[in-house]
Amino acid sequence: MRTVDLAKSSRRDLNAALHEVQHNTNETYWRVENPAGQHALAVGLDAPVTVEIAGHVGYYCAGMNQQATVVIEGNAGVGVAENMMSGKVHVKGDASQSAGATAHGGLLVIEGNAAARCGISMKGIDIVVKGSIGPMSAFMAQSGTLVVLGDAGDALGDSIYETRIFVRGKVASLGADCIEKEMRDEHVLALREILRAAGAPDSVKAEEFRRYGSARQLYNFHVDNASAY
Amino acid sequence: MDIENIPQTLPRQSATFDAYTLSEIRRAAATGIYDIRGAGAKRKLPHFDDLLFLGASVSRYPLEGYREKCATDVVLGTRFAKKPIHLKIPVTIAGMSFGSLSAQAKEALGRGASAAGTSTTTGDGGMTPEERGQSQTLVYQYLPSRYGMNPDDLRKADAIEVVIGQGAKPGGGGMLLGQKISDRVAQMRNLPKGIDQRSACRHPDWTGPDDLEIKIEELREITDWEKPIYVKVGATRPYYDVALAVKAGADVVVLDGMQGGTAATQEVFIEHVGIPTLAAIRPAVQALQDLGMHRKVQLIVSGGIRNGADVAKALALGADAVAIGTAALVALGDNDPALEEEYRKLGTTAGAYDDWQEGLDPAGITTQDPILSARLDPVAAGRRLANYLAVLTLEAQTIARACGKSHLHNLEPEDLVALTIESAAMARVPLAGTSWIPGMTGNF
Ligand SMILES: Cc1cc2nc3c(=O)[nH]c(=O)nc-3n(C[C@H](O)[C@H](O)[C@H](O)COP(=O)(O)O)c2cc1C
């Protein structure tokens, strides 16, 4: 295990050291002490390491992650795991806005709540929020899966493309072109898989969720839809 | 009165309701959809043509055209980047997306730019192997849509350009109509084939200058502070936008005037939002000077650059380099009169073809159609672009030597006068033959 104390070394040192880790590294387990809400911690990783961050982080923690597992033992600021490609990011507390924004792959798990725009423009990532999510979540979401164990705020899935959304609680309102869809067996199976990967308790049943997705009415511009654009 | 012989007035067309305007009203009435097109503002605007160089005479002496050196190189990204970019000429190729342009066109841009010793830029939709392979220096755009955005490409880039806006549509997002979404484009953007792709107008994970600063920090951390980070803005409030970009930590600011081209935007947006390139440069330079950052944070100006005189004028007004889009496409073969017959079939004429969003470009440039795009030979087209870039440079050097400058960057506003009061006020140089800079100094 390697420990980096951010009270003593800089963010630059931490990220540079993490970037130097080779794919066949033996140093697969890192612990980061005293993050103190700093921005851009553990960003741009591209190795199968585990990085545990002992506290709250600022903006863009684990941004553009590839392969690595990043565990945040606190709350995360704006854009946690933004544009993640692969790997896993686990937030033990709450997450601010734009969690998992534009991410192409991997798994983002948020134990608490996520604020507005969770999964905005997501492009293939799986996001599981065990609490609730704020308004405008999954805006222009392209692909991947957003799972919410709690409630969703206003305008869920506005202008959504092919992302699948599963919500267990209440949805305040759906955004333009987002509709509720039938929950078929295939969806239950897929959701079960994601819930398991996210470590959801057995008491949470895939059958309790409702599925939302694109009505695909805005896919090609049409004058009669002008008010929805 | 001799009713038969009353003289008739000539039929009179309205200046307000001119033929183009009437055709647009009819088009709108028939379709119910605003007009979308490519290219930049087409209306006549105050521009570099309204400025003249004074040249040397008794009070200043010129450099010998064929003997004395007039250097043209430029270094971009000296503020924070460990690896600044060194270009042989101060003319770069602007960001144009794969999707809006064919893979052949992107490759040709890379080839031409590399041969000329300058950089080219990706666009909305990500980086293609063709353009990375053929571009010695490649700037990677970081756009609101983040289509095709991935850290491997980010690390492959020589610089990163955070796009906030474009001159053709400041405050607007993008649009790539379904006709141009081929399998490859769809796959790169992670969207179904054939649907209209909207690109957002705001970044998904930051808003405002304070967030931008943190975003830039993140990009630097990911790329280990190696690469210059540009911030591109459409010209609207250049003084404040440039100042805020500098405050946010930009190494380079790219300022794009309203004449700047676009792949596809609403006509009303192109013609009515933003300010002309000429009007944007001085406030931008002023912001840099007020912050003590002129020449430390480099300024790249684009929007309607056509010849070496335009390059020299932009540099004289304080830019460090310029970028070209439309002119580069023309050099590749866009709107070539040799294709007139095919333009006619599309209901247009060579020189006016701007329905790039339809993907039917007979020149094979603004299309994804495999048959049309195969018409463009990337090697020959790249050669034409390299030739054209050489001419831009030689022309700018010709002017600079005449003004007695041993480097293009030594051109200064004092070398310029204006032909019109508007351009004098915008460029903050005196009206020719006077000492009058409207709003600033002197008397008429
Ligand atoms: C076909 C085409 C596609 C463009 N795509 C982009 C783009 O993806 N991103 C961007 O920032 N600007 C884009 N632009 C704008 C150019 O980067 C540049 O600002 C503009 O073309 C400069 O003005 P000029 O065309 O008068 O030289 C595009 C322009 C054209 C003509």
Side-chain angles (χ1 to χ4, degrees):
Chain A
M1 184 177 83
R2 192 151 150 198
T3 303
V4 178
D5 185 350
L6 287 175
K8 293 186 190 125
S9 34
S10 68
R11 167 184 73 184
R12 185 78 284 271
D13 295 338
L14 170 69
N15 285 328
L18 286 168
H19 294 169
E20 267 161 33
V21 173
Q22 295 303 308
H23 294 234
N24 54 1
T25 180
N26 294 325
E27 278 188 313
T28 53
Y29 185 61
W30 293 61
R31 198 146 167 96
V32 179
E33 310 276 1
N34 295 307
Q38 284 196 63
H39 304 309
L41 294 179
V43 292
L45 305 193
D46 188 11
V49 297
T50 297
V51 182
E52 283 177 4
I53 304 178
H56 306 310
V57 296
Y59 282 40
Y60 311 131
C61 184
M64 301 197 199
N65 186 51
Q66 291 165 291
Q67 303 189 64
T69 297
V70 178
V71 181
I72 299 156
E73 296 170 354
N75 301 328
V78 171
V80 63
E82 68 87 15
N83 216 89
M84 171 156 65
M85 305 301 291
S86 61
K88 182 177 173 185
V89 175
H90 191 168
V91 182
K92 294 287 181 71
D94 298 322
S96 180
Q97 294 188 42
S98 303
T102 78
H104 288 66
L107 175 66
L108 169 63
V109 179
I110 296 163
E111 294 291 331
N113 303 311
R117 292 164 200 272
C118 178
I120 183 171
S121 210
M122 56 193 274
K123 296 167 168 50
I125 187 182
D126 290 331
I127 302 176
V128 179
V129 181
K130 296 191 181 167
S132 297
I133 57 172
M136 287 303 282
S137 289
F139 174 61
M140 289 181 92
Q142 294 176 214
S143 59
T145 309
L146 172 62
V147 180
V148 185
L149 274 56
D151 303 332
D154 274 319
L156 177 68
D158 195 282
S159 304
I160 188 171
Y161 294 101
E162 295 295 306
T163 292
R164 290 180 303 182
I165 305 176
F166 299 99
V167 182
R168 191 165 67 143
K170 288 191 298 289
V171 173
S173 68
L174 293 172
D177 211 30
C178 186
I179 54 170
E180 182 171 352
K181 295 187 166 185
E182 185 194 353
M183 190 80 180
R184 296 194 297 269
D185 291 348
E186 69 203 82
H187 304 120
V188 172
L189 289 176
L191 177 55
R192 225 174 253 156
E193 205 47 49
I194 294 175
L195 287 169
R196 182 169 18 211
D202 290 342
S203 58
V204 177
K205 300 284 177 231
E207 292 81 356
E208 299 170 316
F209 288 76
R210 299 173 115 182
R211 180 168 78 101
Y212 305 87
S214 181
R216 304 192 180 97
Q217 295 300 304
L218 300 182
Y219 274 17
N220 288 287
F221 188 93
H222 192 276
V223 60
D224 295 333
N225 294 330
S227 61
Y229 289 102
Chain B
M1 199 159 53
D2 178 358
I3 301 233
E4 302 266 289
N5 287 314
I6 293 178
Q8 297 283 305
T9 58
L10 290 172
R12 184 176 180 183
Q13 301 282 358
S14 166
T16 304
F17 290 89
D18 62 6
Y20 177 80
T21 305
L22 296 175
S23 70
E24 167 52 20
I25 293 172
R26 291 187 194 103
R27 192 208 58 77
T31 64
I33 301 176
Y34 41 48
D35 190 24
I36 294 175
R37 66 167 175 89
K42 292 191 164 185
R43 62 156 89 204
K44 185 151 176 54
L45 292 163
H47 198 39
F48 294 117
D49 287 339
D50 300 318
L51 302 182
L52 295 171
F53 281 100
L54 289 173
S57 179
V58 182
S59 58
R60 296 182 174 209
Y61 63 92
L63 295 189
E64 192 57 68
Y66 301 96
R67 298 193 153 272
E68 287 172 313
K69 205 167 154 48
C70 174
T72 62
D73 65 319
V74 58
V75 183
L76 301 166
T78 48
R79 186 184 184 194
F80 289 123
K82 273 191 232 160
K83 296 185 179 168
I85 284 177
H86 198 150
L87 303 178
K88 286 194 188 135
I89 60 171
V91 186
T92 65
I93 305 300
M96 292 182 275
S97 57
F98 169 66
S100 78
L101 298 185
S102 63
Q104 287 85 341
K106 288 299 283 176
E107 180 182 336
L109 292 172
R111 286 178 178 274
S114 300
T118 189
S119 61
T120 182
T121 313
T122 68
D124 213 358
M127 182 189 286
T128 67
E130 290 95 327
E131 71 179 333
R132 177 60 281 188
Q134 296 304 334
S135 308
Q136 208 169 18
T137 307
L138 183 59
V139 182
Y140 188 46
Q141 283 200 330
Y142 189 71
L143 295 116
S145 74
R146 311 274 167 89
Y147 287 139
M149 163 64 220
N150 77 68
D152 294 330
D153 289 342
L154 194 75
R155 286 186 278 257
K156 278 185 214 148
D158 300 294
I160 300 162
E161 181 169 304
V162 179
V163 178
I164 295 172
Q166 269 177 251
K169 48 176 176 181
M175 191 135 37
L176 194 63
L177 297 189
Q179 296 91 307
K180 289 180 82 167
I181 314 295
S182 65
D183 286 325
R184 186 173 176 199
V185 173
Q187 193 245 330
M188 274 180 74
R189 296 175 181 225
N190 210 304
L191 280 173
K193 193 183 170 186
I195 71 169
D196 296 345
Q197 295 190 354
R198 292 155 285 163
S199 299
C201 66
R202 289 206 305 262
H203 280 263
D205 54 356
W206 64 270
T207 23
D210 297 335
D211 283 8
L212 173 59
E213 184 172 351
I214 306 170
K215 176 49 78 177
I216 289 176
E217 270 176 37
E218 183 207 8
L219 294 171
R220 290 198 194 279
E221 282 295 324
I222 288 173
T223 54
D224 292 315
W225 291 73
E226 284 181 355
K227 302 173 199 305
I229 298 198
Y230 302 9
V231 171
K232 176 173 179 174
V233 294
T236 57
R237 299 174 186 84
Y239 182 85
Y240 297 105
D241 290 339
V242 169
L244 290 169
V246 170
K247 181 204 157 265
D251 291 305
V252 175
V253 178
V254 182
L255 178 68
D256 192 26
M258 74 178 284
Q259 296 99 322
T262 173
T265 301
Q266 297 90 335
E267 153 93 11
V268 72
F269 207 147
I270 298 173
E271 294 288 350
H272 298 278
V273 184
I275 66 172
T277 307
L278 188 69
I281 303 176
R282 291 308 294 274
V285 172
Q286 185 75 53
L288 292 170
Q289 287 168 339
D290 289 353
L291 293 166
M293 284 293 179
H294 191 217
R295 308 290 184 211
K296 292 183 184 142
V297 168
Q298 287 79 33
L299 178 68
I300 301 179
V301 165
S302 60
I305 301 283
R306 304 150 301 171
N307 52 45
D310 291 350
V311 176
K313 288 168 187 174
L315 264 48
L317 293 176
D320 295 276
V322 301
I324 57 168
T326 306
L329 299 187
V330 173
L332 297 188
D334 172 63
N335 266 294
D336 189 336
L339 299 164
E340 181 61 17
E341 213 172 299
E342 299 190 54
Y343 289 125
R344 284 285 155 96
K345 284 189 204 137
L346 296 170
T348 182
T349 182
Y353 176 61
D354 59 14
D355 281 327
W356 300 342
Q357 74 285 356
E358 289 176 353
L360 302 174
D361 184 3
I365 295 169
T366 56
T367 180
Q368 293 301 318
D369 181 290
I371 295 167
L372 291 174
S373 47
R375 289 181 176 184
L376 188 78
D377 174 354
V379 177
R383 183 70 249 170
R384 286 195 293 275
L385 176 60
N387 288 344
Y388 171 64
L389 289 167
V391 171
L392 290 182
T393 310
L394 287 167
E395 287 179 343
Q397 282 175 303
T398 301
I399 288 171
R401 283 200 186 93
C403 295
K405 313 294 184 188
S406 60
H407 197 294
L408 291 182
H409 288 151
N410 296 342
L411 287 164
E412 53 195 335
E414 288 70 21
D415 294 314
L416 290 167
V417 291
L419 281 170
T420 64
I421 295 172
E422 287 90 341
S423 58
M426 289 177 185
R428 302 185 192 168
V429 299
L431 189 66
T434 78
S435 59
W436 184 40
I437 303 176
M440 302 197 71
T441 60
N443 299 306
F444 185 54

